[in-house]
Amino acid sequence: VTVTRAAPSGNADLSNLVLSSGTLTPPFAAGTSVYAATVANIVASITVTPTVADATATVKVNGATGTSGNATLPIFLSFGANLITTTVTAQDNTTTKTYTVTVTRSALSGNADLSSLILSKGTLTPGFASATTSYTATEAMTVTSIIITPTVTSAGATIKVNGTTVASGNGSPSIPLNPGTNTLTVVVTAPDGVTIKPYTFRVMRGASGFKLYLPLIKR
């Protein structure tokens, strides 16, 4: 009886490569080894799930041994281009193939706009819109305090209402209103930490004349 032992496989292809965020360009194909992907600036890390075409092959992602069909540990992304390499070694321990993905993490946003602004008392006229920079409202003399709920357009932007940090979409601490004119401020700092947009409120308690001024300062 003659027994012929098959030679070790030389297949070092991947059958799939998936990112937890972003889309491969071009779409994955086993014969294509170079890819690019773009993710938003808020994406600080991603995982990679490589699947080998031959179950006897082994795989490493950025030099760390992986398991076919399973996601890697999170890979930190700096702003700008990040090179991720996936190297497959065939069963013969000689044949290798490296797939590269350049993942570009967008720079931090300079958007310091509010997408929403809600008052606990009174109504803005006209209704809030990011492009509108001046509003009016009337507060009765019986209204002794107000809460402002601002929401940012860009995730990662920070807000201060009268100097107190407020989370986007949450109400500020209750702000006392004196009879007559009250000056309130809402300052938004964009994720880039440079672009600042201050909103200044002049609230008239007991009279009409609530105005919102939106000067933009970019330093």
Side-chain angles (χ1 to χ4, degrees):
V1 177
T2 302
V3 177
T4 302
R5 183 179 179 182
S9 172
N11 188 340
D13 285 344
L14 287 177
S15 63
N16 203 5
L17 184 66
V18 178
L19 306 181
S20 60
S21 185
T23 302
L24 290 178
T25 302
F28 179 80
T32 302
S33 59
V34 179
Y35 299 89
T38 301
V39 298
N41 58 64
I42 61 172
V43 179
S45 65
I46 64 170
T47 62
V48 177
T49 302
T51 302
V52 296
D54 187 320
T56 62
T58 58
V59 63
K60 289 185 176 182
V61 178
N62 279 5
T65 299
T67 303
S68 177
N70 290 346
T72 63
L73 293 173
I75 299 170
F76 173 77
L77 298 177
S78 58
F79 295 109
N82 299 263
L83 183 64
I84 298 176
T85 60
T86 301
T87 301
V88 183
T89 301
Q91 184 186 30
D92 62 12
N93 285 323
T94 300
T95 307
T96 63
K97 187 171 186 177
T98 298
Y99 296 80
T100 64
V101 181
T102 300
V103 179
T104 300
R105 181 181 176 189
S106 300
L108 287 174
S109 170
N111 189 334
D113 288 342
L114 288 177
S115 63
S116 176
L117 185 66
I118 299 172
L119 308 179
S120 60
K121 299 282 196 315
T123 303
L124 292 174
T125 304
F128 180 82
S130 293
T132 303
T133 60
S134 183
Y135 301 85
T136 64
T138 300
E139 300 292 353
M141 184 62 72
T142 55
V143 177
T144 59
S145 64
I146 194 171
I147 293 172
I148 300 173
T149 302
T151 303
V152 296
T153 298
S154 183
T158 58
I159 309 169
K160 287 189 176 182
V161 178
N162 274 13
T164 300
T165 299
V166 174
S168 178
N170 290 358
S172 68
S174 182
I175 302 169
L177 295 179
N178 298 317
T181 302
N182 297 261
T183 300
L184 313 177
T185 61
V186 175
V187 178
V188 183
T189 302
D192 64 10
V194 175
T195 307
I196 298 172
K197 180 178 279 189
Y199 297 74
T200 300
F201 295 71
R202 291 191 178 99
V203 181
M204 292 296 296
R205 178 184 165 200
S208 62
F210 177 97
K211 292 187 177 180
L212 173 60
Y213 301 90
L214 314 184
L216 174 61
I217 299 173
K218 187 166 185 179
R219 298 183 299 199

